[in-house]
Amino acid sequence: MSRIDELFAQTRGEGRGALIGYLPAGYPTVAESKELLAATVDAGADLVEVGFPYSDPVMDGPTIQAAADTALRNGFRLKDLFEVVESVANRGGRAVVMTYWNPVFHYGVDAFARDLAAAGGLGLITPDLTPDEGSEWLAASDTHGLDRIFLVAPSSSDERIALTTAAASGFVYATAVMGVTGARDTVGGAAQGLVNRTRVHTDLPVGVGLGVRSGDQAAEVSAFADGVIVGSALVAKAVDGTDAVAALTKELAEGVRRPQA
Amino acid sequence: MTDTAPQSSQSPHSSRHDPDARGHFGDYGGRFLPEALMGALDELAAEYDKAQQDPEFTAEFQRLLSGYAGRPSLLSEAPRFAEHAGGARILLKREDLNHTGSHKINNVLGQALLTKRMGKKRVIAETGAGQHGVATATACALLDLECVVYMGEVDTERQALNVARMRLLGAEVVPVATGSRTLKDAINEALRDWVTNVDTTHYLLGTAAGAHPFPVMVRNFHQIIGEEAREQVLAQTGRLPDAVAACVGGGSNAIGIFHGFLDDTDVRLVGLEPGGKGLDSGEHGATLTQGTPGTLHGALSYLLQDEDGQTIEAYSISAGLDYPGVGPEHSYLKDAGRAEYRAVTDDEAMDAFQLLSKTEGIIPAIESAHALAGALRLGRELGPDGLILVSLSGRGDKDVDTAARYFNLVEGV
């Protein structure tokens, strides 16, 4: 049982969704990103996604694009990623990395998995790598004991959901709407349908992301999903510092614990 | 894992040069895009497969190519230009004479017809120099499709006339201000639009790159360039050329003309990449000569990237060539040794641009001038017995402003 499996066993036992918070490594600087991630861990994020700032983030909206640009301009390098992951682990948090595929491919898939595991990372979320092209990653994740979190989307056919969930471990990342990352006023109505369709094919926990930004939305999603993923809203708070990030994390952590109506 | 993409083995165009069912040319190609787009890519592959076998579709495509685009395009000999090429004979495949002024029209007519077949009403596209954007806007006007073109802000400035052209044709042009503000970022923004609106929208990609089925589909829509050229060269000279030269940005005109000669193993296939200010300067777009394998915009192919796998911004005086990636089939042909790739600097390309204008009365696109510069070099290597076919992929009207600045042709510019 991986540490992510244990986490979801615990949150399911508590009758709530897990809170999963995203922040990019190196934003605005490597040192500050460690502090921001520490703040989310301390304030109640059950799992953090450490984002890899990449030059061509095709699945990201303006908030995360701008954060990646800033991190790169401030000199973020790939080796810094492992250092940031290690800081989360040392803080007592659980970290997975969210990254576009080319940096992993370029580093060497097995070497990347090895170094991520050594830094205390628990797995990888791969927005532009599906199981279809994932054979090398499937092997490396097995070798180094990492979870592989693949995405499903409202447009995914049942056949593709079956293929994706069969290859996934840890949890399944359900994108609530068709589109890029970014805070939205409403989480798409498609989210619950997608979670239900996913559950037909797997017992893996299902996390819902894209658009969640408030405690109310976290409560709403927590009612039907195993995990509530918050990215852009946290990134937007990062400019206001650790207190602002901690405050939003607390609100979201209360949201996922709110008794179901 | 299951193979969900259909086989194209029954299509009239299929050959042993096709990729595998999931779009791999050897180690290259494939699909590296978000799951949200996989359904649309499967749908596109399936619809394209059906269309290829539908005589009505192929007849309609042929009708548009001949009755609208103006095919077949001419093959012109360029004797005065060739005097500067060691005496070798040079033949120009005149894609510049197509409607809209470049080879791009072949692919957009094919994909626009497919868009109609899929019942989609909205088309998005990226453009660098504006040639693909203009061609897409044209096809959308003809076939009554809504058209949105993403164009890097740097390029909207370099190619202001083409922006106006697209708007005249009824397209919406969206300047892209992210990243390097050129072609790569225009593709990023188009992909973001597509992932949001994929139900109603077809992404009409302009080059033989990206995720499967785009590389094979775009190639097939352009291979008429090579098929026509092969027949024309044989008819005019009684022999096959020694070499075929074409510029390579994403590589669509090159793959189209190369395919006419892939099985003629004595014919050298030479791709000319933008060497910009020189390979040592770091300011170039010579992906195949300087890059390493990586994923960008949906495919594994050669890529200009730094030691962390971040994309390096490409540079060229030609807005249509400054792309840090390249179509995956070119990567395959390079590794297989079937095609060779060389870099041509801005200065060499501009010399060839001016030379063709003054010796043959043809103003080429600066993109195509890279192929012409390559042909001058090849001619000197081959000597007087050499015969070189050049893909003159586009006309240079759009580049007059750039050329005027480069050559100081207008006071005060």
Side-chain angles (χ1 to χ4, degrees):
Chain A
M1 204 178 201
S2 77
R3 287 190 59 209
I4 294 179
D5 297 334
E6 288 166 12
L7 165 66
F8 282 102
Q10 180 202 326
T11 55
R12 276 176 167 175
E14 292 169 12
R16 68 173 178 96
L19 176 61
I20 304 168
Y22 169 98
L23 284 169
Y27 175 71
T29 63
V30 172
E32 287 167 288
S33 69
K34 290 181 191 170
E35 289 168 18
L36 291 164
L37 281 157
T40 61
V41 169
D42 295 351
D46 298 295
L47 177 68
V48 294
E49 297 178 7
V50 179
F52 181 90
Y54 177 54
S55 53
D56 294 276
V58 296
M59 244 202 94
D60 285 304
T63 305
I64 293 176
Q65 281 177 48
D69 278 353
T70 301
L72 290 172
R73 267 203 312 277
N74 289 341
F76 172 84
R77 295 298 309 270
L78 189 142
K79 62 177 169 45
D80 299 325
L81 176 79
F82 300 123
E83 198 188 303
V84 173
V85 167
E86 196 161 20
S87 78
V88 174
N90 290 342
R91 192 79 176 192
R94 304 174 189 88
V96 294
V97 163
M98 184 156 190
T99 179
Y100 291 90
W101 191 240
N102 192 52
V104 181
F105 177 82
H106 188 73
Y107 192 84
V109 178
D110 189 75
F112 191 97
R114 177 197 67 208
D115 291 354
L116 177 59
L122 304 180
L124 210 54
I125 303 173
T126 53
D128 62 349
L129 182 80
T130 60
D132 314 61
E133 298 284 353
S135 56
E136 211 181 339
W137 164 230
L138 298 186
S141 52
D142 281 343
T143 303
H144 299 286
L146 295 172
D147 278 319
R148 43 195 186 234
I149 297 120
F150 290 113
L151 281 68
V152 293
S155 61
S156 299
S157 63
D158 289 338
E159 187 187 6
R160 285 209 56 87
I161 291 175
L163 175 153
T164 304
T165 54
S169 68
F171 69 100
V172 179
Y173 188 129
T175 56
V177 292
M178 291 302 289
V180 295
T181 57
R184 293 172 171 84
D185 287 336
T186 55
V187 176
Q192 188 164 359
L194 175 59
V195 170
N196 293 341
R197 284 204 296 135
T198 305
R199 292 203 196 284
V200 173
H201 299 280
T202 185
D203 294 327
L204 282 173
V206 184
V208 169
L210 293 204
V212 181
R213 68 172 186 183
S214 69
D216 287 347
Q217 286 173 326
E220 182 195 327
V221 171
S222 188
F224 62 82
D226 301 292
V228 179
I229 303 166
V230 182
S232 297
L234 279 173
V235 178
K237 288 288 181 204
V239 287
D240 301 327
T242 50
D243 288 351
V245 165
L248 177 59
T249 306
K250 278 204 184 74
E251 177 189 331
L252 295 162
E254 283 160 16
V256 298
R257 286 173 174 80
R258 203 172 292 172
Q260 316 283 307
Chain B
M1 276 176 276
T2 54
D3 290 344
T4 47
Q7 292 280 354
S8 304
S9 53
Q10 301 305 310
S11 75
H13 273 318
S14 88
S15 71
R16 63 189 182 82
H17 304 297
D18 278 353
D20 73 12
R22 289 191 294 131
H24 298 106
F25 298 89
D27 292 337
Y28 300 104
R31 277 184 189 166
F32 294 85
L33 279 181
E35 167 63 23
L37 294 174
M38 292 298 152
L41 292 167
D42 281 341
E43 180 196 10
L44 180 61
E47 198 62 44
Y48 174 58
D49 200 52
K50 274 192 275 175
Q52 278 188 304
Q53 296 167 55
D54 178 353
E56 241 175 82
F57 178 86
T58 49
E60 177 70 358
F61 182 50
Q62 292 305 325
R63 192 186 67 75
L64 288 176
L65 287 179
S66 57
Y68 187 73
R71 301 209 73 90
S73 65
L74 295 179
L75 185 75
S76 309
E77 182 144 13
R80 295 193 60 226
F81 180 78
E83 285 171 13
H84 300 264
R89 290 181 74 181
I90 293 183
L91 299 168
L92 307 176
K93 181 57 176 164
R94 300 291 305 280
E95 293 299 297
D96 60 315
L97 296 178
N98 295 336
H99 181 43
T100 73
S102 80
H103 72 290
K104 296 288 187 188
I105 193 76
N106 305 323
N107 169 49
V108 299
L109 288 173
Q111 286 198 51
L113 285 176
L114 268 181
T115 306
K116 300 283 269 192
R117 265 183 85 101
M118 290 186 290
K120 292 184 172 180
K121 307 261 188 261
R122 179 172 179 268
V123 163
I124 56 173
E126 83 295 339
T127 198
Q131 287 178 318
H132 175 59
V134 167
T136 303
T138 300
C140 289
L142 178 72
L143 296 172
D144 190 21
L145 294 161
E146 183 190 344
C147 181
V148 177
V149 179
Y150 291 94
M151 189 171 186
E153 236 176 26
V154 170
D155 293 333
T156 59
E157 288 156 18
R158 281 197 283 197
Q159 303 288 346
L161 210 54
N162 268 343
V163 174
R165 250 181 217 126
M166 289 183 265
R167 288 180 175 151
L168 277 174
L169 291 160
E172 180 188 347
V173 180
V174 182
V176 175
T178 54
S180 61
R181 300 182 295 139
T182 60
L183 179 58
K184 141 183 118 64
D185 308 283
I187 295 176
N188 290 344
E189 211 51 40
L191 284 168
R192 292 182 187 117
D193 180 316
W194 204 28
V195 81
T196 307
N197 300 301
V198 66
D199 278 353
T200 60
T201 299
H202 175 61
Y203 180 11
L204 207 161
L205 187 69
T207 192
H212 179 66
F214 283 105
V216 65
M217 179 176 74
V218 175
R219 175 196 86 192
N220 288 349
F221 285 139
H222 281 309
Q223 68 185 13
I224 190 161
I225 306 171
E227 287 164 3
E228 286 176 5
R230 190 175 186 280
E231 280 182 28
Q232 290 167 319
V233 173
L234 284 172
Q236 290 185 25
T237 70
R239 57 171 287 207
L240 288 170
D242 297 302
V244 179
C247 66
V248 178
S252 67
N253 89 87
I255 207 70
I257 198 163
F258 285 179
H259 256 260
F261 302 89
L262 266 191
D263 293 326
D264 302 315
T265 48
D266 290 340
V267 178
R268 287 168 63 188
L269 307 176
V270 185
L272 287 312
E273 297 196 295
K277 295 177 180 170
L279 297 182
D280 295 338
S281 72
E283 293 188 62
H284 60 78
T287 307
L288 287 157
T289 42
Q290 296 285 298
T292 52
T295 59
L296 178 69
H297 296 145
L300 177 60
S301 195
Y302 276 80
L303 176 66
L304 295 176
Q305 56 187 325
D306 71 12
E307 27 194 358
D308 284 352
Q310 307 281 2
T311 310
I312 293 174
E313 292 172 12
Y315 161 81
S316 169
I317 192 171
S318 156
L321 296 182
D322 63 351
Y323 180 56
V326 68
E329 193 171 2
H330 285 293
S331 295
Y332 171 72
L333 292 175
K334 173 191 160 80
D335 284 8
R338 180 62 191 96
E340 52 195 292
Y341 298 88
R342 304 172 170 195
V344 165
T345 63
D346 286 357
D347 290 342
E348 284 176 278
M350 293 310 289
D351 285 348
F353 176 94
Q354 188 169 50
L355 187 62
L356 191 77
S357 302
K358 289 191 170 166
T359 57
E360 300 290 344
I362 298 169
I363 301 176
I366 297 177
E367 290 80 3
S368 318
H370 286 71
L372 292 162
L376 292 174
R377 263 198 252 162
L378 281 166
R380 290 172 201 134
E381 291 165 23
L382 291 168
D385 296 332
L387 178 64
I388 302 162
L389 170 67
V390 180
S391 178
L392 193 69
S393 55
R395 68 179 180 221
D397 305 43
K398 68 180 178 58
D399 295 316
V400 168
D401 188 53
T402 304
R405 287 167 203 271
Y406 184 88
F407 294 115
N408 282 318
L409 301 180
V410 184
E411 284 86 35
V413 171

